[in-house]
Amino acid sequence: MKLELTRREMLRLTAGAGALMGASTLGGCSLFERLRNRPRRRDIATLAPDHPDLVTYRAAVKAMKALPDSNPRSWSAQAKIHLEHCPHGNWFFLPWHRAYLYYFEQICCELTGNNDFGLPYWNWQKNRKIPNAFWGSSSNPLRHSPRFATSSSQAAAWAVGANVIEDILDEPNFFVFGSGPAAAGKLEGTPHNHIHGFVGGTMSTYDSPLDPIFWCHHNMVECLWVEWNRRGHGNPNDSTWTKHIFNGQFVNGQGDLIEDLTVESTLLMPIFGYRYESPTKGKDPSGTITNRQLEGLLERGAKVEVQVLERFDLDGELRIGVGQAITRRSRVSELALEQSLKAGVAGRQEGDRLFLIASGLQPPENEDYFVHVYVGEVDDPPADPLEDPRYAGSFSFFTDPESPHHDHPQSFRIDLTDTLRQLSDSGNQTEEIAVTLAPGTLEGREVQDQTFAARELRIERSRVTPSAPVIKARGR
């Protein structure tokens, strides 16, 4: 049974789940029945070739490709939505793509007649290779060309491994977890961007929805946002965010334009619109809140802040050659170092943190690159950065210079706090902080003589508030 909420119903949901739960019927059946039978999204690697969800997905893609480009539900029209409207590197990244997946799923249901269909996700934490469902003969609607990755290629563990995903899910602040108003956060800048570049070909452009793997990739990103909320972390309740309108950017299963869709209208979709077969990711399967707690958390949101207290510029040229690590230094205040070390000991729920801000990055023309960030001088970066105690984090690029709408510089935030604390414990840290940026190329890609520039590199001492009041999760 497909759960397709009208705009009026969705507004009633976001106005108060409790009031809606008291309604006897919606659309001819009980709300309880609709919720119980809402679509279930499953890990695509676990599905047999004849599983109904996989059969439906293939049939839906084939049907959409057969529609004329003028039809808003056609494969090309759906990809055009992403090309023209998708937000990246800001706080609308997650809710926009949630709505995009939600209405795409409805189109798949409508075109195939399978109202039980749940869009599968690609769990790249567990399976770093492109799943078998996307290979096979040329008659497979899920096979796509061009892709740079082969059936044996593996995404990097430093970008999608369990330790990395657990670190992302453990981040209590929405701006640092997802993305803030002006910078990409951990989820977007590391696994999301990396997978786009890893798959490559069409996936490395803003036409990426033309590759059927796009939808399953972003469904994993969505799954991690759901899991993050289930761990008791709240979304912003700032009206600038919640009342923002994605006006006329999506169509439903019948091809009707969705007007006046707000961010607020997307927040309860994971409760009333679909569910994940196994939402827990990372390394902590026990630390989740109850469904009732989750509903309340999503309804009220949280005050989200990253308050910059001090800024310290990093000296030197800001043009970086691919394959050449560069080190820049800055002398920070005694207070900045003292407060950040306290935060490293106390955890992320309190205290000030030190971030590297790479602002206004103009990426290379070839997007097969990433940047590892280390605290200290690193002349010869290791093959596996996770083995180096100086490693602080990474970011990858995702932009499309061929698109006039999205050819803009990118900004990233890397948390240096935990690494600084570990180095301080071993006696290797002073008030002068050296930061090494080590660009690298994706496995199997040819290194080219390219450079990229940053408008500014700086260290910020910021007071970071958790994105929720403390909620005791089950199992903790």
Side-chain angles (χ1 to χ4, degrees):
M1 176 181 295
K2 176 178 61 175
L3 176 65
E4 182 176 349
L5 297 171
T6 66
R7 168 165 167 72
R8 178 175 298 178
E9 291 168 354
M10 188 63 73
L11 287 175
R12 290 174 66 192
L13 284 178
T14 55
L20 186 58
M21 290 300 289
S24 59
T25 61
L26 277 175
C29 65
S30 70
L31 177 60
F32 177 78
E33 183 181 359
R34 296 180 70 181
L35 296 179
R36 184 183 60 192
N37 293 287
R38 69 194 190 277
R40 186 185 296 272
R41 296 179 174 181
R42 299 175 171 88
D43 181 349
I44 197 169
T46 67
L47 303 182
D50 60 349
H51 189 282
D53 284 347
L54 194 49
V55 171
T56 299
Y57 190 38
R58 289 194 296 259
V61 173
K62 184 176 181 179
M64 294 170 74
K65 289 180 177 180
L67 293 173
D69 292 348
S70 58
N71 189 310
R73 300 180 299 174
S74 72
W75 195 246
S76 60
Q78 285 296 298
K80 190 176 181 181
I81 292 173
H82 189 267
L83 178 67
E84 295 185 344
H85 298 294
C86 68
H88 286 273
N90 62 59
W91 60 347
F92 300 118
F93 167 74
L94 286 174
W96 188 93
H97 285 86
R98 169 175 286 176
Y100 193 35
L101 295 174
Y102 177 75
Y103 290 110
F104 175 82
E105 188 174 64
Q106 287 190 5
I107 293 171
C108 292
C109 291
E110 188 68 27
L111 291 180
T112 62
N114 181 6
N115 291 333
D116 296 325
F117 170 71
L119 181 68
Y121 64 92
W122 171 20
N123 184 351
W124 21 252
Q125 175 195 317
K126 183 178 178 182
N127 300 287
R128 293 190 283 129
K129 296 180 181 180
I130 295 177
N132 292 334
F134 296 97
W135 299 107
S137 69
S138 59
S139 63
N140 179 10
L142 305 187
R143 186 182 178 98
H144 179 82
S145 181
R147 289 177 185 151
F148 294 152
T150 68
S151 59
S152 61
S153 303
Q154 291 197 74
W158 57 259
V160 300
N163 290 333
V164 178
I165 301 305
E166 180 61 29
D167 176 76
I168 292 171
L169 292 172
D170 192 47
E171 172 55 54
N173 184 280
F174 181 88
F175 295 161
V176 184
F177 159 75
S179 289
K186 295 180 179 181
L187 179 59
E188 181 180 1
T190 304
H192 165 266
N193 287 3
H194 174 76
I195 289 294
H196 273 281
F198 162 71
V199 176
T202 307
M203 269 286 281
S204 64
T205 73
Y206 276 89
D207 282 322
S208 49
L210 291 173
D211 188 335
I213 204 171
F214 166 91
W215 304 94
C216 299
H217 162 49
H218 264 279
N219 206 8
M220 176 63 174
V221 175
E222 165 68 5
C223 184
L224 291 177
W225 185 17
V226 173
E227 168 70 3
W228 185 77
N229 284 146
R230 285 191 173 277
R231 293 192 180 198
H233 306 310
N235 304 313
N237 59 14
D238 186 333
S239 61
T240 306
W241 189 70
T242 60
K243 302 301 182 184
H244 180 81
I245 298 175
F246 304 127
N247 192 28
Q249 297 182 21
F250 310 107
V251 297
N252 63 14
Q254 290 73 39
D256 300 324
L257 207 61
I258 304 299
E259 298 180 349
D260 301 329
L261 179 73
T262 63
V263 168
E264 185 179 40
S265 299
T266 72
L267 298 182
L268 291 178
M269 283 179 175
I271 293 180
F272 296 96
Y274 48 86
R275 52 187 166 162
Y276 284 93
E277 181 181 52
S278 179
T280 302
K281 300 294 176 286
K283 297 175 64 178
D284 184 7
S286 61
T288 58
I289 61 178
T290 67
N291 284 337
R292 185 174 294 276
Q293 287 176 319
L294 178 62
E295 290 174 23
L297 180 65
L298 295 178
E299 284 183 310
R300 67 177 176 266
K303 185 177 182 180
V304 181
E305 289 185 312
V306 177
Q307 181 185 3
V308 180
L309 304 177
E310 292 183 275
R311 290 185 172 91
F312 310 97
D313 292 333
L314 291 162
D315 59 7
E317 173 63 41
L318 300 183
R319 183 164 293 278
I320 306 169
V322 170
Q324 301 174 354
I326 67 162
T327 300
R328 298 291 178 259
R329 292 175 169 80
S330 179
R331 191 163 186 84
V332 303
S333 68
E334 183 177 347
L335 177 63
L337 189 59
E338 177 184 353
Q339 293 298 318
S340 67
L341 295 179
K342 285 183 179 179
V345 172
R348 294 169 176 170
Q349 294 293 335
E350 58 182 278
D352 302 342
R353 291 195 254 167
L354 287 181
F355 295 96
L356 169 70
I357 306 297
S359 177
L361 279 165
Q362 191 66 52
E365 291 183 8
N366 187 319
E367 296 178 14
D368 297 339
Y369 300 99
F370 55 81
V371 178
H372 293 322
V373 177
Y374 299 87
V375 175
E377 186 167 356
V378 181
D379 296 324
D380 187 18
D384 182 0
L386 298 176
E387 296 180 353
D388 194 314
R390 298 168 295 181
Y391 176 65
S394 301
F395 57 86
S396 299
F397 298 110
F398 179 57
T399 188
D400 188 353
E402 300 299 323
S403 169
H405 303 285
H406 298 283
D407 184 15
H408 58 79
Q410 301 177 50
S411 299
F412 299 92
R413 178 187 284 113
I414 301 293
D415 193 346
L416 307 178
T417 311
D418 289 343
T419 305
L420 281 167
R421 178 186 57 79
Q422 292 171 11
L423 293 175
S424 177
D425 290 345
S426 61
N428 294 326
Q429 186 56 47
T430 66
E431 291 178 25
E432 181 183 76
I433 296 180
V435 177
T436 297
L437 278 68
T441 185
L442 294 172
E443 183 180 359
R445 313 294 167 83
E446 182 179 350
V447 178
Q448 301 182 22
D449 185 17
Q450 296 190 32
T451 62
F452 61 93
R455 183 176 66 243
E456 184 180 12
L457 292 175
R458 63 184 183 274
I459 293 174
E460 290 182 351
R461 176 171 74 95
S462 297
R463 186 150 297 159
V464 182
T465 59
S467 293
V470 176
I471 298 176
K472 183 174 178 59
R474 291 179 295 180
R476 286 186 175 177

